[in-house]
Every structure is written in C-alpha cells, then in structure tokens.
Amino acid sequence: MGAILEVNAIKKYFGRICAVDGLSFRVNRGEVYGILGPNGSGKTTTLAIVMGLINSQDGKYSWFGGRIPPAEARKKKIGALIEVPYFYPYLNLEDNLKIIAKIKNILPGGIDRVLKSVNLHHRKNTGFKTLSLGMKQRMAIASVLLGDPEVLVLDEPANGMDPQGIAEIREIIINEREKGKTIIMASHILAEVEKVCTHVAVLKDGKLLAECPVTELPGKETKVLLASEDNNKLYQVLISSAIAKNVTPGEEFVTAILKEGITTAKVNRYLMQQGIVLSRLEEKKISLESHFLELVKSPGTSN
Amino acid sequence: MRTSLLGIELIKILKYKSFRVLAGLHLFFFLAVVFLASRINIEIPGFNPRNLFAFPYVWQTVAWFASWFNILLVFIIIMLTCNEFSYNTFRQHIINGLTRDQLLAGKGAVILLLGVYSFLLVLITGGLFGLFFSTDMTISRVFNDFHILLVYFLQTIAYMVIGMAIAILMKGTALSIVMFFLLRILIEPVLRSFFDPVARQYFPVRAISNLTPVPEFLSIASESQIITDGNDMLTFESMGLVSHQLPLLTSVLLAAGYTLIFIILIRNYLKRISL
C-alpha cells in the first residue's frame, strides 16, 4: 500500500490560537479520506499546510512518500479545492481554466470535458463574476478535475450548493473513487462523509480525536435493548451466542450490539429457541451524528 | 515542455480593462508630450530648441520625457500584483503547482515585458524624431548617447520592482500606490535631508531617478559645445539649479544593486507568508 500523504505532528499557531496541534495521519492510495470536524477545528488549515499555502511551525508532511517534491506533486498529481474557489472575475471560464492548464502543463483539450462534467459547458464564454455561488463551486470542481489528477483534495466541496448540486458533486466524487483515485476531503457535514468516504478522521481544536474506516463507524452497527423475565439468564445466553458482541447487563434491560448481518427478527427467533420470551426488543440506531457530537463535546478536549 | 510564466501572465493582462486603459494612457501621454514639446519654437537668436530633438540629444530628451510616465508602468505592476492577492489567485497558483519563486518570476516577466515595451517605444519615437530634426546624420552622432536608452530601461525596471515589492508587502492597490508616492516624495526625502548633499545621491529612489537627468536644455539649445568643451558648459549643476550629481555609471550600479536587493528581500518575504 503506497502512502499518498503522510502528515507528521504538524503544528500551526495563529497568534496565540493553536489551529493545528501536533496532527499526524496517513492517507493511502485509493482511500477516500474524510476529515470531519466542526467549524474552526483546523480542517482547512491542515489542508492549506499540505497544499503549500501555509508554512507549519513544526512537524512535516510528504506526498508520495517524499519521492516527489511538494510543488511538483501539486502540479502533476493533485487537483485541489481549498475553501472557496479563486478565479479571475473578469476572465471567462475557458480563460480561467487555460491558466490552470498552462500551470499544469497540460493540453487545453480537457477544458471542454471538465466543464461538461459539471454542467457548465454552456457558460464557457461568460465571465466568472457572472456565475452564481453554486456555479462558482462547480467551476472549482471543474478546475480540480482538469488534467485528471490521481489525487483530489477537496475542502467542503459542496459548499453553497443546492441539494441537486450536492448530489451531483457526490456523484462526481464517487465516480472518481471508482476510478481508483485517492481523495482527501474535509467537511462538517457528516452525511456527506459517510456516503462517500472509506476512512474518516475526526478533528477538534487541531487535534485528531478519532480515525477509522467508515465501515467501523458506530453508526453502521445495530444496538438493541432486550428485556425478559430473567435478565440475568438473557445476558448469559447472549454472551455465549454468536449473534451479539459487546453485551452489557442491566437491571431493566440488557444492551447488545449485534454482529453484522444479524437482524432483530433473527435475535427473537434465536432466543425463542433458547427458551427465552422477550418482553422488550428495541432497536437503537446509534447515529453517526450523535457519536460525532459526543466525540467533539467530550470534556478535556475543549478549551 | 516548461510552464510558460509569461504566457500565463499574458492571458491575465490582455483582457484586463484597467491594464488596457493604463497602458493606453501611457502611450498617449508620452507621445502627446513629446509631440507638443517638439513644436515649441522660441525665437531667440543663437537659441534653437529643435536641437533637443536632433541626434544625439534626442535620446536624452525622449528618455527624460518617458521617465515622467514611469509612474503609470508602476501603477500597472502594483495593480496586477495586488489583484493576485485580492482575487486570491496567488493562492490558487500555489494550489495548482507553482512555487512561490514562480509567482515572483511571473511578475518579473511582466516587468521585463513592460520594460522592453517602453524601451522600444523610446527607441522608435526617438529615432523618428531624430531623423526628422537632425541635419547631421553620421553614425557616430546618431549613436553617441544611445546608452541613455539602456539606462532608461534599467530605470523602468527598478521602479517597477519597487512597485512590485510594495504591492507584495501592502497587498492592496490603493495602499500600495499611496506608499509608493510617500516613499518618493516624503519618506526618502526626509531621510535624505539628514545627510550631506553627496551622500543623498546614494539613496535608492534618488539614485534611480538620477538615471534620467534633466537634459541640459540651455547648453543644448544654444549649441554650446558640451561634448568637446566641458569647461564652458551651461549645466544646471553649475548654475545651482540641480544638486550635485554622481557620475552616471555610479548611479547605474547603485540602481542595479538596489533592484537586486529589493528582489532578494521580497523573495524571502513571499516565502514566509501564508497565502
């Protein structure tokens, strides 16, 4: 597995505010790495550092295992959108993209392709300043796709878009993921990250709170509350069974996290076979959101 | 295939209205002033203003007039540089893979382009006026003061580099232009006033402006032999109209040195800042 991006203990202060506090992570080839965090958690600063916009005060980062110098990697391998899109307002879309094509040393033939992919081809000859906010964001996505880079770095890619636009951007990202591209994406919208990412990192106050593959997110598991006449027996049966993991005993009810592929109906049938009649069987979805909020609210990490 | 920094800059500036307007004003005012000046006809015996436009004096005259409008070239550079900050396009260029040195080199390419343009403008205008006003067209006479054009070229480059450096420091167009004026008419003059007249000539803005000294109107127009007979020269300096001046070569070296220093300083600054 090749490392695309390695970040090692980077630190950045803005005055006395610590925006990024000793952050380390690694993104491997083919991953869709979501950086999740509330506003001001250091997502954009982190991406700005690895894109060469801000010098970090401590720590280092490297692209492609350090085999390619950062500027060269940005030019030849990476397409990035950091914060809002930046273009020359008085130039039309084609000229704006021509500048990028010239910087990246690619033929301007790709301009039509990328404008079509974000539904802006009909506006090719209009000035950038005449675009709506959502269209500007699409234009930014078009510029990211120019040259078909193997790594995409996206900071809030669906910023300012209508629901249809958000869906289209998601489709574009999933499409790129299917092509085997590596995508690093920052967002404060959990649903977005959950839908497109393979890995997720949660950031708060410039620190990494958690990092895991999306499949291991708690939101993907089913938690059930069970009760019967004899909760003790119920607990014993459940921990020796193959259907549940993480069983917690309790006075009123027993809590269990179900193993993958196990439904509440299966639980009920299994317990009946074991001679236990349930008086209560309640499914509790642990939403990613509540888990996320719990993480970022937890004391000790806040100021 | 190398990234063509000049090509990128050309896409940015050719369709930019403010650039076209300022470049047009520069061309128009320069030609208008040279043309009007050439029409001045003072009827004093032994005094012929037409000489100012004859070879070899025409180079000095036209270069001096052109130096009046250097400020417009500086405005163009300040405006183009500050735009990169206000549109955040320097930032975008970094994201797209340019290095910070290449950001600077791109603006350097525009400075050279404008420098070459104004050099050619002075060359062609001076050449045409010289042909029209000269009676003696020997090669040695035509090219006698030709080096003044190269000195003028250095002056435009030096001013534009100062403009670019101020623009990168200030980032806003209005503020940068104000700072450029303050540096020229207030900050440096006040600093200079603490020094003796000779030391004053070594300050950057003074050294650069010394590159195109006021043509010696009186001696040229009265055809006193300034080339052969230096002692009888009716120079402004000998009349006390301008202060002590350094030899041209010294001013050239000073201006080139200062330009280099500004480039090095602003390069270091640009490497350190967040974009």
Side-chain angles (χ1 to χ4, degrees), chain B residues 4-14 84 106-107 109-110:
Chain B
S4 159
L5 294 174
L6 185 61
I8 293 166
E9 296 298 319
L10 284 177
I11 297 178
K12 294 180 202 171
I13 63 181
L14 290 181
E84 306 283 8
K107 287 293 161 277
V110 179

Side-chain angles (χ1 to χ4, degrees), chain A residues 38-104:
Chain A
N39 296 330
S41 56
K43 303 184 295 285
T44 298
T45 309
T46 304
L47 293 185
I49 289 171
V50 300
M51 289 309 293
L53 297 171
I54 298 176
N55 300 319
S56 66
Q57 273 131 342
D58 203 3
K60 336 179 236 219
Y61 68 90
S62 66
W63 287 99
F64 300 94
R67 277 166 289 132
I68 305 172
E72 201 65 13
R74 294 198 299 271
K75 185 157 132 183
K76 301 218 165 115
K77 308 266 187 186
I78 306 171
L81 162 60
I82 307 289
E83 273 180 323
V84 287
Y86 303 118
F87 294 101
Y88 295 91
Y90 58 88
L91 290 181
N92 65 30
L93 306 193
E94 188 180 18
D95 284 335
N96 268 304
L97 291 177
K98 261 189 197 160
I99 290 178
I100 298 175
K102 270 190 180 288
I103 291 176
K104 290 185 174 282

Side-chain angles (χ1 to χ4, degrees), chain B residues 12 70 117 157 180 201 218 240 273:
Chain B
K12 294 180 202 171
N70 283 342
Y117 159 76
I157 301 293
F180 184 78
Q201 308 305 316
L218 301 179
I273 58 171

Side-chain angles (χ1 to χ4, degrees), chain B residues 160-210:
Chain B
M160 285 190 279
V161 164
I162 292 182
M164 176 186 73
I166 291 177
I168 291 174
L169 283 173
M170 298 292 142
K171 300 182 178 65
T173 308
L175 189 59
S176 303
I177 289 175
V178 169
M179 284 305 294
F180 184 78
F181 271 117
L182 283 182
L183 180 70
R184 281 191 68 172
I185 63 174
L186 194 72
I187 300 173
E188 201 191 280
V190 168
L191 282 175
R192 277 201 304 256
S193 67
F194 293 109
F195 293 84
D196 66 76
V198 178
R200 285 175 198 173
Q201 308 305 316
Y202 289 87
F203 278 75
V205 173
R206 173 56 65 86
I208 294 167
S209 78
N210 280 348

